[in-house]
Each structure stands twice: as C-alpha cells, then as structure tokens.
C-alpha cells in the first residue's frame, strides 16, 4: 500500500486485565465492536465465501450534518500455537468521493503477558488519502491526530468495559457530562475573577468588599487578589479536573465566598443573580464533576509509539 509521505502509521497499545477469549469476542464480534469503537457507527459482517476465507464486512461512520462515510473491508485471523499470540489483519477502503481515506491496512495483535492476568492489545495501521496535497496536509495536521486519539480513547473505553463492567454508552455519557461541567466551571471562575473583580470592580464587587470591613483602605487591592485567585482556580480546574481534591477545594471556596458576602450584605439575597444563586449552581456543577471524574476513558493511558515504555 502506498501511504502518505512523511506520515507515521497510527499505533496504539494498551494492557487490559481480562482473558484472551473475552477480549477476542469483544473485538471480533461486530455487534460488540461497534459499541466501543468511536471510528465506526455500524459494522456488518458479510457471509463467508468458504471456511477459512477472510471475513468481509461493511462499515459506516456518521460524521455529522446527516453525512455518513461507508466502506468495505476484510479481516483474517491467526493464532501462534506456542506463544498464544493472536493476530487479526485488516484491509479497508471507501469508494465514496467525500471520504478522506481511500484505502488502508493494518492489524490487531493480542499478546498474553507472562505471569499476569492481562493481555497487551495493540493496533498499527496506515492509509492513503484523497484530494492530493490538500488531503495530505489536512490528514497530517488534523485528521490523523484526531483518528489516532479516537483509537486510543476507544481502547480505554473497551478496557473499562472489560475490567469494570462499565458499558461504552455509559462511559461516553459520563465523559460528555464531566467535560461539560469542567468547561462551565472553568468559564465561571475565569469570568468571575476577570470581569467583575479586575475589569469592572465598581459595578458592585468593590461595594461588597467595602461592606465586609476586613480590608479598610485596601479593598480594591484585596478584590484584585481575590479575582486573581479565581482566575488561577479556573485554570487549575482545566488541568486537574480528574482529581477529586480540586472539587473539594472549589466547594470550600464557594462556601467561604458566598457566606462572607451574604453575612455582611444580606440585601444581596434580593438581587436576581446573587451570590447564593451562583454558588448553588456552581456547587451542583462541582458535585457532578466529582461524581464523574473517576473511571473516565483516557487516551493518554495508551502507548502511542511503537517500542515506547509506559508505567
């Protein structure tokens, strides 16, 4: 197969604590495979022509806006009798003019780990593209990194299914919910730190700080320090959203900030968007983020370069 120049094949490797037969079934059965693999929306095996012949299949991928990419492929499997290593080779392609991938090939390998109850599951594949030089650049800059990430993310979805019995649909729903909470929380902290405390303190935040009487004569400076802390917390939320500790820190901060403001200025409760309303919403987002931060699929768990060692 002639591949795009200077483009490295996609490689993904992951250790999964399961037995060989179960992993084989979840990856070689079309109805199970399409549930965990983000690259495919539907996979349908075609009748074999004869015993031992390659397994032909059709695949379909929804790319949004009602568009679908469909193609065909064939796969063939082999088992090494001595080592127990299994290999499944794959060739695929699409005749659709809108498909960036013209044709490709690769393999899945299943390596039992000695003295361990796990299997090293890995894939390596490459493909040729359409649309000439423009297609090659689009593939190199965007599509190939995204496709590689989707492969690694899917492998970890499969791991969670096999190791912790978390169905792929549940993993994907929790992932969407978690990142929605993370992005909203980060936005709120960044906005609250920057806009009312740094850019427009006279709009109300400065008066609240003056009403507390804790920083006589330096209220504006204290307000800016508080805003800076909220901005930093917004970035920390983005970076460490998988840690339960960050949500405890935020909950503590929300309680302190809202209680301090309402105790010293109880009339704020009469305002349509007061500290209690905002804090209650942020507490809800924090709890949702906390409950979904564990056992999330993570593409970073996979080895992405052949020969790489990962703890």
């Amino acid at each position: 197969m002639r591949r795009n120049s200077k483009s490295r094949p996609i490689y993904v490797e992951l250790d999964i604590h399961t037995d060989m037969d179960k992993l084989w079934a979840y990856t070689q059965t079309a109805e199970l495979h399409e549930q965990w693999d983000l690259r495919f929306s539907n996979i349908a095996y075609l009748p074999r022509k004869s015993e031992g012949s390659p397994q032909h299949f059709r695949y379909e991928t929804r790319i949004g806006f009602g568009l679908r990419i469909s193609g065909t492929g064939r796969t063939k499997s082999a088992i090494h009798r001595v080592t127990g290593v299994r290999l499944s080779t794959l060739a695929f392609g699409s005749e659709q003019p809108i498909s960036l991938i013209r044709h490709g090939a690769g393999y899945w390998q299943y390596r039992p780990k000695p003295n361990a109850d796990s299997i090293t599951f890995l894939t390596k594949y490459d493909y040729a593209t359409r649309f000439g030089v423009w297609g090659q650049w689009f593939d190199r800059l965007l599509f190939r990194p995204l496709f590689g990430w989707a492969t690694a993310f899917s492998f970890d979805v499969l791991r969670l299914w096999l190791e912790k019995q978390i169905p792929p649909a549940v993993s994907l729903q929790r992932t969407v919910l978690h990142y929605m909470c993370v992005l909203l929380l980060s936005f709120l902290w960044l906005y609250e730190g920057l806009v009312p405390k740094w850019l427009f303190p006279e709009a109300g935040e400065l008066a609240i700080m003056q009403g507390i009487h804790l920083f006589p004569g330096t209220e504006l400076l204290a307000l800016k320090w508080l805003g800076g802390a909220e901005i930093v917390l917004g970035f920390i939320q983005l970076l460490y959203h998988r840690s339960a500790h960050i949500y405890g820190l935020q909950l503590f901060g929300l309680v302190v900030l809202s209680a301090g403001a309402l105790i010293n200025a109880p009339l704020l409760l009469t305002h349509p968007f007061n500290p209690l309303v905002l804090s209650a919403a942020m507490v809800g987002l924090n709890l949702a983020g906390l409950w979904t931060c564990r056992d999330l699929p993570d593409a970073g768990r996979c080895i992405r370069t052949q020969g790489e060692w990962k703890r």
Side-chain angles (χ1 to χ4, degrees):
M1 179 188 69
R2 180 179 173 272
R3 68 181 182 88
N4 296 336
S5 60
K6 298 183 181 179
S7 294
R8 291 193 304 177
I10 293 174
Y11 181 87
V12 177
E13 176 183 329
L14 181 65
D15 288 345
I16 301 178
H17 292 275
T18 186
D19 61 82
M20 179 68 78
D21 290 337
K22 192 172 184 180
L23 178 58
W24 186 262
Y26 276 60
T27 55
Q28 297 292 327
T29 305
E31 293 79 6
L32 297 174
H33 179 190
E34 67 187 19
Q35 291 186 52
W36 60 264
D37 200 332
L38 292 181
R39 298 169 298 173
F40 304 101
S41 303
N42 180 264
I43 304 171
Y45 282 175
L46 303 177
R48 289 183 184 269
K49 296 180 180 179
S50 62
E51 186 69 26
S53 63
Q55 173 67 66
H56 289 257
F57 62 90
R58 292 193 183 97
Y59 66 86
E60 186 177 73
T61 302
R62 291 189 289 270
I63 59 175
F65 307 103
L67 298 176
R68 302 178 181 222
I69 300 295
S70 59
T72 58
R74 64 183 184 275
T75 180
K76 191 170 184 178
S77 305
I79 302 176
H80 195 286
R81 293 183 178 180
V82 177
T83 62
V85 173
R86 300 190 185 189
L87 184 70
S88 178
T89 58
L90 171 71
F92 56 92
S94 175
E95 298 297 327
Q96 278 188 278
I98 63 172
S99 173
L100 177 66
I101 296 178
R102 185 187 301 274
H103 56 79
Y107 63 86
W108 280 351
Q109 190 180 78
Y110 310 69
R111 295 201 304 249
K113 298 198 75 173
N115 304 318
D117 59 344
S118 64
I119 309 294
T120 298
F121 181 46
L122 63 91
T123 185
K124 184 178 182 180
Y125 63 94
D126 202 357
Y127 51 83
T129 60
R130 287 186 170 86
F131 314 123
V133 175
W134 292 107
Q136 292 180 13
W137 274 106
F138 179 76
D139 175 62
R140 188 178 307 163
L141 296 176
L142 181 62
F143 185 81
R144 187 172 293 254
L146 182 61
F147 215 50
W149 174 88
T151 304
F153 185 87
S154 299
F155 270 38
D156 207 41
V157 170
L158 173 63
R159 179 190 65 83
L160 290 170
W161 197 9
L162 292 171
E163 292 185 356
K164 301 194 175 183
Q165 294 75 53
I166 302 175
V170 174
S171 285
L172 296 177
Q173 289 171 359
R174 291 180 61 197
T175 299
V176 171
L177 175 61
H178 179 78
Y179 281 97
M180 285 179 59
C181 293
V182 169
L183 292 175
L184 283 172
L185 280 169
S186 296
F187 168 76
L188 289 171
W189 283 120
L190 293 171
Y191 180 89
E192 285 297 312
L194 181 64
V195 177
K197 294 180 176 63
W198 276 77
L199 299 180
F200 306 102
E202 294 82 4
E205 291 280 348
L206 183 57
I208 295 175
M209 185 64 73
Q210 290 170 339
I212 296 176
H213 304 297
L214 292 179
F215 309 97
T218 59
E219 290 90 353
L220 183 59
L221 180 61
L223 190 64
K224 289 187 178 296
W225 273 101
L226 179 59
E230 291 181 343
I231 292 171
V232 170
L233 187 56
F235 284 113
I236 291 177
Q237 167 68 37
L238 283 175
L239 294 173
Y240 301 102
H241 60 90
R242 289 176 179 266
S243 171
H245 300 295
I246 188 62
Y247 299 98
L249 176 63
Q250 291 179 88
L251 290 170
F252 174 78
L254 287 168
V255 170
V256 171
L257 290 173
S258 58
L262 294 175
I263 289 173
N264 290 277
L267 287 178
L268 288 173
L269 286 172
T270 63
H271 294 184
F273 298 102
N274 58 69
L276 180 62
V277 172
L278 179 61
S279 295
M282 294 182 72
V283 165
L285 290 171
N286 264 279
L287 292 176
L290 175 62
W291 291 332
T292 57
C293 71
R294 295 182 180 87
D295 295 327
L296 283 178
D298 183 7
R301 185 183 294 272
C302 299
I303 291 174
R304 300 293 303 277
T305 304
Q306 193 167 10
E308 176 186 358
W309 181 77
K310 190 178 183 71
R311 288 193 299 174

